[in-house]
Amino acid sequence: MSDLLLKINGLSASYGDEDIIKDVSFGMLPGEIVCIVGESGSGKSTLVKAIHGMSDLQITGGNIVFEGTDLATLPSKVRRKLMGNGIGLIPQDPGASFNPIRKLDVQFKESLAGHDMPYDEDKIDKMLKTIGLADGKTVLKNRPFELSGGMNQRIAIAAAMMFEPRLLLCDEATSALDVTTAGAVVEELLKIRESNGTSILLVTHHLGIAKKMADNIGIMKNGRLIEYGSVDKIFESPENEYTRNLIRDVPRLKKKK
Amino acid sequence: MSIKKQIAKRIAELIIILIILSFLTFLLMYLAPGDPAEKRLSSQGVAITKEVLEAEQERMGLLRPFMVRYGEWFTGILHGDWGVSFKDDLPVAPKLISGLKNTTILALSSLILSLIVSIPLGIASAVKKNSVLDHIVRLLSFIGNALPNFLISVLLMYFLCIVFNLFPVVADGSIQGLCLPALSLAIPMAGRFTRQIRTEIMEQLDQEYVTGLRTRGVSEKDILIHNVFHNASGHIFTIIALQIGTLMGGSVVIETIFRWPGIGKLVMDSINARDYPTIMGFVLIMGTIYVVINFISDVLYHVLDPRV
Amino acid sequence: MKKQKAKLRKRVIIAAVFAGILVLIAVFSGVLAPNDPYATNSELIRQAPSAQFLFGTDNLGRCVLSRVLIGARTTIASTFFLVAISFIIGMIVGMLCGFYGGIVDDILMRIADLMLAFPQMVVAIAVAGILGGGLGGAMIALGITMWTSFARLARSHTLSIKNEPYITAARLQGKNGLQIMMTHIMPNILEPVLINALTQIGTTMIGISGLSFLGLGVVAPQAEWGSMISEARAYIQIAPWAVLFPAAATVITIIVFNYLGDAVMEYRKAE
């Protein structure tokens, strides 16, 4: 089991009062895509926050082991350096993840410099093109508040991918995008996995996306991981009543990506 | 509207405000009780008869119509002639300028002093919210904010000059003499700044972009300096500009106590002597500086945070 | 969350009790004062604190404790009076501007803007100086700019409720503007404006005692903390108690009222 990239053991977390996620355990192999599916309030976004550990969420039980190290034991500076190219995040509202009044290229340089990575304008430009932003070089000369919400989202997604993280966390990142862009993002995520062997943990309420992307699917309800298994197992022989209901409710949009 | 146009509009407004300020200042002196001519004569020990008084009023230009006097005074000011002191017949402008120079030294040193203290403390207590440090800083700034500066200066004088004998009692314009007056002005100001800066920084730290930057691995130092403080700086300039008014009022009190030869001490002497031209000059200068500083801080705010 | 609120409520109550005690002291200072605050005695000048004179005596042999107590009345009463007058004027102006709008609103708000464009304490010193001292002059000097914050607040709150259904209903019932303002608008905007008044007490006290310190407020021999400190600082080396006791009284009073203002603001924010 030591070749697991991420191992979550009996994890519970809260914002001070009641635990929002309770006793969650699962593991991820390098290059694996796991989708956590659940309704809003199921704790799936909190799970992502617990893994990246950059909010004021408190871990109340269990631990998170990344590449063999318990994240809680890392000094905060080392932990911070892991963010970006070790663990990357496409947040729920990616557009709000940049400082709104600083030029984007400066912000890109700032985060890259923290990882001793070069600022490769052409590479970022190419990345932006693949998710539907032509003319990236000019766009990056702007400040986020000068750009539309959709543009900011794409830039933030590109920023997360740019680091080529070993584990990429996606928190409902596609829910705010239109169907075409969401499709492009999904395609791009799959390509990244293909080329870099990136593991992707994607949190969504959309079982359709999970079916398209995931190797394994976890179902969350009321803070607990109630079912976990391969895509085939979840869709062919779900054990849980709740999972069956979710599958029944998946809209039939076969033609769409 | 383009930025240039907006600035032009604001400058036009500024000029109108300054003209109104000059008018109100003049009106105030016009309506003031007490006759400067009488005061002047009695201070010179002249026996006041009706004829003598009228002659003096005529000489001081007090008998002409209001608008004529205002017009003359205003055009004079535009040409650098701020009138002649009722007290000693010397021109007002040089007095005001030399006072202003000393007041600027005092005000700037106390401003810098209070910012040196309050910016790091405000940031630190915002970052370490609810820690022991935060509680201590909040308590100190709360007390500082509650201390009137005349009281601080009297207490500082008592403890530092008399009980411990560290400083001279009278600040005659020397560097050593600058310490206590600057400290007296800086303490309550530092209390206010610390509170306000703490609030500003906390508000910025709650913004979503901070989490975004953290998840991209940007160091906490870079986040704090290049992002949080950078974004808060527009507000901080506004806070400072608004404090300038309190600082001006405070410097009148402090300069009088320590006999610092600034414009504030000048105006208190002039108030006691009913020397209207000097008081008018004081109000006009202070009002102008305040209005202009706030204008500059507005422009700066716009530059630093172009969203507004 | 509930715990937090209960804690905040407790803070408000404690602060209010202290403020209440101070106000009671001020009201009953005439009874509480052990000696005549104005009685001079050349044989008892600059006496150190003793059983007879708990706070000592000043340069004219007057009892410092009695003067501090009577001074509480001067300082607290004049502060309350000034805040109250500014509050009333501000409420009336703000409601009229917000309710009727139009040219009256434009003119009054322009005047308020103009007042805020100038440094308050500079205006106050100049005006008080020209009016030639006296507590009335000092209060006018501070009041010139003070009403504006109340007026702006009352106006914005009036604007925010003026199109509420119950106001429209009152209009349809044929009530006139004055009736609507008195019975429907005022009760609803009273709380935020009153809280603003509360937070202004500390600053106003600093302003009044500052002007008195400069000799632009109360006239001697009337007891007021600022002027007592100003008089006694000349002989602080010989009789520090004549400065330190009124100074302590000033600081404590301002701290109590500032704390009350902060506590009420935080309590309301938590709601």
Side-chain angles (χ1 to χ4, degrees), chain C residues 216-243:
Chain C
L216 301 174
V218 300
V219 190
Q222 195 181 353
E224 197 277 344
W225 296 337
S227 65
M228 284 169 73
I229 296 167
S230 173
E231 274 173 41
R233 80 188 161 97
Y235 50 90
I236 189 171
Q237 269 167 292
I238 316 165
W241 51 86
V243 170

mmCIF file of all heavy atoms in Angstrom, chain C residues 216-243:
data_model
loop_
_atom_site.group_PDB
_atom_site.id
_atom_site.type_symbol
_atom_site.label_atom_id
_atom_site.label_comp_id
_atom_site.label_asym_id
_atom_site.label_seq_id
_atom_site.Cartn_x
_atom_site.Cartn_y
_atom_site.Cartn_z
ATOM 1 N N LEU C 216 -10.839 77.905 26.037
ATOM 2 C CA LEU C 216 -11.892 78.301 25.116
ATOM 3 C C LEU C 216 -13.234 77.676 25.510
ATOM 4 O O LEU C 216 -14.215 77.789 24.807
ATOM 5 C CB LEU C 216 -11.537 77.860 23.690
ATOM 6 C CG LEU C 216 -10.230 78.430 23.148
ATOM 7 C CD1 LEU C 216 -9.902 77.825 21.794
ATOM 8 C CD2 LEU C 216 -10.322 79.940 23.027
ATOM 9 N N GLY C 217 -13.259 77.000 26.642
ATOM 10 C CA GLY C 217 -14.505 76.379 27.093
ATOM 11 C C GLY C 217 -15.024 77.089 28.323
ATOM 12 O O GLY C 217 -15.282 78.292 28.265
ATOM 13 N N VAL C 218 -15.135 76.347 29.418
ATOM 14 C CA VAL C 218 -15.688 76.933 30.631
ATOM 15 C C VAL C 218 -14.814 78.081 31.130
ATOM 16 O O VAL C 218 -13.614 78.132 30.876
ATOM 17 C CB VAL C 218 -15.814 75.899 31.771
ATOM 18 C CG1 VAL C 218 -16.710 74.767 31.356
ATOM 19 C CG2 VAL C 218 -14.455 75.405 32.214
ATOM 20 N N VAL C 219 -15.454 79.003 31.825
ATOM 21 C CA VAL C 219 -14.744 80.146 32.352
ATOM 22 C C VAL C 219 -14.466 79.898 33.841
ATOM 23 O O VAL C 219 -15.317 79.374 34.553
ATOM 24 C CB VAL C 219 -15.604 81.415 32.194
ATOM 25 C CG1 VAL C 219 -14.781 82.650 32.527
ATOM 26 C CG2 VAL C 219 -16.165 81.498 30.789
ATOM 27 N N ALA C 220 -13.270 80.263 34.278
ATOM 28 C CA ALA C 220 -12.934 80.124 35.698
ATOM 29 C C ALA C 220 -13.919 80.968 36.508
ATOM 30 O O ALA C 220 -14.378 82.002 36.022
ATOM 31 C CB ALA C 220 -11.497 80.603 35.925
ATOM 32 N N PRO C 221 -14.277 80.578 37.693
ATOM 33 C CA PRO C 221 -13.737 79.456 38.465
ATOM 34 C C PRO C 221 -14.535 78.157 38.285
ATOM 35 O O PRO C 221 -14.308 77.232 39.029
ATOM 36 C CB PRO C 221 -13.904 79.956 39.893
ATOM 37 C CG PRO C 221 -15.175 80.737 39.862
ATOM 38 C CD PRO C 221 -15.259 81.350 38.488
ATOM 39 N N GLN C 222 -15.439 78.103 37.317
ATOM 40 C CA GLN C 222 -16.277 76.909 37.186
ATOM 41 C C GLN C 222 -15.405 75.654 37.049
ATOM 42 O O GLN C 222 -14.406 75.670 36.345
ATOM 43 C CB GLN C 222 -17.187 77.028 35.962
ATOM 44 C CG GLN C 222 -18.312 76.001 36.000
ATOM 45 C CD GLN C 222 -19.199 76.079 34.788
ATOM 46 O OE1 GLN C 222 -19.086 76.977 33.959
ATOM 47 N NE2 GLN C 222 -20.094 75.120 34.658
ATOM 48 N N ALA C 223 -15.821 74.597 37.750
ATOM 49 C CA ALA C 223 -15.021 73.384 37.751
ATOM 50 C C ALA C 223 -15.299 72.566 36.491
ATOM 51 O O ALA C 223 -16.456 72.285 36.174
ATOM 52 C CB ALA C 223 -15.311 72.554 38.995
ATOM 53 N N GLU C 224 -14.249 72.247 35.767
ATOM 54 C CA GLU C 224 -14.351 71.353 34.606
ATOM 55 C C GLU C 224 -13.005 70.687 34.497
ATOM 56 O O GLU C 224 -11.968 71.321 34.725
ATOM 57 C CB GLU C 224 -14.682 72.150 33.343
ATOM 58 C CG GLU C 224 -15.194 71.339 32.172
ATOM 59 C CD GLU C 224 -14.073 70.705 31.373
ATOM 60 O OE1 GLU C 224 -12.910 71.116 31.525
ATOM 61 O OE2 GLU C 224 -14.366 69.782 30.602
ATOM 62 N N TRP C 225 -12.991 69.383 34.144
ATOM 63 C CA TRP C 225 -11.735 68.629 34.231
ATOM 64 C C TRP C 225 -10.623 69.229 33.367
ATOM 65 O O TRP C 225 -9.490 69.359 33.817
ATOM 66 C CB TRP C 225 -11.980 67.160 33.869
ATOM 67 C CG TRP C 225 -12.896 66.479 34.842
ATOM 68 C CD1 TRP C 225 -13.127 66.856 36.145
ATOM 69 C CD2 TRP C 225 -13.713 65.335 34.610
ATOM 70 N NE1 TRP C 225 -14.027 66.012 36.730
ATOM 71 C CE2 TRP C 225 -14.405 65.067 35.823
ATOM 72 C CE3 TRP C 225 -13.930 64.510 33.518
ATOM 73 C CZ2 TRP C 225 -15.291 64.001 35.939
ATOM 74 C CZ3 TRP C 225 -14.802 63.443 33.644
ATOM 75 C CH2 TRP C 225 -15.482 63.188 34.846
ATOM 76 N N GLY C 226 -10.959 69.564 32.124
ATOM 77 C CA GLY C 226 -9.939 70.105 31.221
ATOM 78 C C GLY C 226 -9.319 71.368 31.780
ATOM 79 O O GLY C 226 -8.098 71.530 31.793
ATOM 80 N N SER C 227 -10.161 72.277 32.268
ATOM 81 C CA SER C 227 -9.621 73.541 32.758
ATOM 82 C C SER C 227 -8.904 73.349 34.093
ATOM 83 O O SER C 227 -7.943 74.053 34.393
ATOM 84 C CB SER C 227 -10.727 74.590 32.874
ATOM 85 O OG SER C 227 -11.658 74.221 33.842
ATOM 86 N N MET C 228 -9.375 72.373 34.897
ATOM 87 C CA MET C 228 -8.659 72.094 36.151
ATOM 88 C C MET C 228 -7.236 71.625 35.854
ATOM 89 O O MET C 228 -6.270 72.065 36.498
ATOM 90 C CB MET C 228 -9.389 71.009 36.959
ATOM 91 C CG MET C 228 -10.635 71.496 37.678
ATOM 92 S SD MET C 228 -11.599 70.119 38.347
ATOM 93 C CE MET C 228 -10.553 69.633 39.710
ATOM 94 N N ILE C 229 -7.111 70.729 34.874
ATOM 95 C CA ILE C 229 -5.788 70.218 34.506
ATOM 96 C C ILE C 229 -4.922 71.363 33.986
ATOM 97 O O ILE C 229 -3.740 71.494 34.325
ATOM 98 C CB ILE C 229 -5.914 69.100 33.457
ATOM 99 C CG1 ILE C 229 -6.658 67.906 34.052
ATOM 100 C CG2 ILE C 229 -4.544 68.670 32.934
ATOM 101 C CD1 ILE C 229 -7.102 66.881 33.032
ATOM 102 N N SER C 230 -5.539 72.204 33.174
ATOM 103 C CA SER C 230 -4.808 73.318 32.589
ATOM 104 C C SER C 230 -4.283 74.261 33.677
ATOM 105 O O SER C 230 -3.126 74.667 33.659
ATOM 106 C CB SER C 230 -5.737 74.074 31.636
ATOM 107 O OG SER C 230 -5.113 75.222 31.179
ATOM 108 N N GLU C 231 -5.137 74.587 34.653
ATOM 109 C CA GLU C 231 -4.721 75.483 35.742
ATOM 110 C C GLU C 231 -3.613 74.855 36.577
ATOM 111 O O GLU C 231 -2.613 75.492 36.889
ATOM 112 C CB GLU C 231 -5.903 75.736 36.691
ATOM 113 C CG GLU C 231 -6.831 76.853 36.293
ATOM 114 C CD GLU C 231 -8.034 76.874 37.235
ATOM 115 O OE1 GLU C 231 -7.843 76.680 38.460
ATOM 116 O OE2 GLU C 231 -9.158 77.057 36.734
ATOM 117 N N ALA C 232 -3.821 73.587 36.934
ATOM 118 C CA ALA C 232 -2.944 72.963 37.932
ATOM 119 C C ALA C 232 -1.614 72.513 37.341
ATOM 120 O O ALA C 232 -0.676 72.229 38.084
ATOM 121 C CB ALA C 232 -3.656 71.783 38.584
ATOM 122 N N ARG C 233 -1.513 72.422 36.007
ATOM 123 C CA ARG C 233 -0.251 71.914 35.455
ATOM 124 C C ARG C 233 0.896 72.884 35.708
ATOM 125 O O ARG C 233 2.052 72.497 35.702
ATOM 126 C CB ARG C 233 -0.401 71.612 33.961
ATOM 127 C CG ARG C 233 -0.321 72.795 33.051
ATOM 128 C CD ARG C 233 -0.660 72.433 31.636
ATOM 129 N NE ARG C 233 -1.002 73.605 30.881
ATOM 130 C CZ ARG C 233 -0.153 74.255 30.114
ATOM 131 N NH1 ARG C 233 1.084 73.834 30.003
ATOM 132 N NH2 ARG C 233 -0.542 75.323 29.452
ATOM 133 N N ALA C 234 0.565 74.152 35.965
ATOM 134 C CA ALA C 234 1.613 75.133 36.242
ATOM 135 C C ALA C 234 2.378 74.782 37.509
ATOM 136 O O ALA C 234 3.562 75.052 37.609
ATOM 137 C CB ALA C 234 0.998 76.531 36.350
ATOM 138 N N TYR C 235 1.684 74.199 38.482
ATOM 139 C CA TYR C 235 2.373 73.848 39.730
ATOM 140 C C TYR C 235 2.372 72.329 39.960
ATOM 141 O O TYR C 235 2.313 71.850 41.087
ATOM 142 C CB TYR C 235 1.765 74.588 40.924
ATOM 143 C CG TYR C 235 0.264 74.503 41.042
ATOM 144 C CD1 TYR C 235 -0.347 73.475 41.759
ATOM 145 C CD2 TYR C 235 -0.552 75.460 40.445
ATOM 146 C CE1 TYR C 235 -1.705 73.394 41.876
ATOM 147 C CE2 TYR C 235 -1.924 75.385 40.540
ATOM 148 C CZ TYR C 235 -2.500 74.347 41.267
ATOM 149 O OH TYR C 235 -3.863 74.266 41.370
ATOM 150 N N ILE C 236 2.458 71.593 38.849
ATOM 151 C CA ILE C 236 2.396 70.125 38.937
ATOM 152 C C ILE C 236 3.545 69.560 39.763
ATOM 153 O O ILE C 236 3.416 68.532 40.424
ATOM 154 C CB ILE C 236 2.376 69.514 37.515
ATOM 155 C CG1 ILE C 236 2.080 68.014 37.574
ATOM 156 C CG2 ILE C 236 3.677 69.755 36.787
ATOM 157 C CD1 ILE C 236 1.830 67.395 36.232
ATOM 158 N N GLN C 237 4.685 70.278 39.783
ATOM 159 C CA GLN C 237 5.828 69.783 40.554
ATOM 160 C C GLN C 237 5.528 69.760 42.047
ATOM 161 O O GLN C 237 5.955 68.871 42.756
ATOM 162 C CB GLN C 237 7.029 70.707 40.333
ATOM 163 C CG GLN C 237 7.880 70.262 39.173
ATOM 164 C CD GLN C 237 8.843 71.327 38.772
ATOM 165 O OE1 GLN C 237 8.437 72.381 38.269
ATOM 166 N NE2 GLN C 237 10.126 71.073 38.976
ATOM 167 N N ILE C 238 4.767 70.784 42.484
ATOM 168 C CA ILE C 238 4.494 70.907 43.916
ATOM 169 C C ILE C 238 3.265 70.101 44.317
ATOM 170 O O ILE C 238 3.241 69.464 45.356
ATOM 171 C CB ILE C 238 4.277 72.397 44.297
ATOM 172 C CG1 ILE C 238 5.340 73.258 43.601
ATOM 173 C CG2 ILE C 238 4.316 72.573 45.807
ATOM 174 C CD1 ILE C 238 5.024 74.717 43.598
ATOM 175 N N ALA C 239 2.232 70.154 43.478
ATOM 176 C CA ALA C 239 0.974 69.499 43.857
ATOM 177 C C ALA C 239 0.448 68.641 42.717
ATOM 178 O O ALA C 239 -0.540 68.972 42.079
ATOM 179 C CB ALA C 239 -0.070 70.549 44.252
ATOM 180 N N PRO C 240 1.133 67.511 42.435
ATOM 181 C CA PRO C 240 0.723 66.691 41.286
ATOM 182 C C PRO C 240 -0.711 66.176 41.403
ATOM 183 O O PRO C 240 -1.371 65.949 40.396
ATOM 184 C CB PRO C 240 1.736 65.538 41.290
ATOM 185 C CG PRO C 240 2.390 65.566 42.614
ATOM 186 C CD PRO C 240 2.323 66.965 43.098
ATOM 187 N N TRP C 241 -1.207 66.014 42.644
ATOM 188 C CA TRP C 241 -2.569 65.484 42.810
ATOM 189 C C TRP C 241 -3.619 66.376 42.158
ATOM 190 O O TRP C 241 -4.637 65.880 41.699
ATOM 191 C CB TRP C 241 -2.875 65.282 44.292
ATOM 192 C CG TRP C 241 -2.581 66.505 45.140
ATOM 193 C CD1 TRP C 241 -3.414 67.553 45.361
ATOM 194 C CD2 TRP C 241 -1.386 66.786 45.840
ATOM 195 N NE1 TRP C 241 -2.806 68.492 46.149
ATOM 196 C CE2 TRP C 241 -1.546 68.054 46.468
ATOM 197 C CE3 TRP C 241 -0.166 66.107 46.009
ATOM 198 C CZ2 TRP C 241 -0.553 68.645 47.240
ATOM 199 C CZ3 TRP C 241 0.802 66.714 46.783
ATOM 200 C CH2 TRP C 241 0.625 67.960 47.386
ATOM 201 N N ALA C 242 -3.361 67.663 42.106
ATOM 202 C CA ALA C 242 -4.350 68.577 41.515
ATOM 203 C C ALA C 242 -4.489 68.334 40.016
ATOM 204 O O ALA C 242 -5.492 68.725 39.408
ATOM 205 C CB ALA C 242 -3.958 70.025 41.782
ATOM 206 N N VAL C 243 -3.486 67.703 39.398
ATOM 207 C CA VAL C 243 -3.575 67.338 37.986
ATOM 208 C C VAL C 243 -4.023 65.878 37.837
ATOM 209 O O VAL C 243 -4.900 65.555 37.045
ATOM 210 C CB VAL C 243 -2.211 67.517 37.277
ATOM 211 C CG1 VAL C 243 -2.253 66.912 35.888
ATOM 212 C CG2 VAL C 243 -1.843 68.979 37.195
#
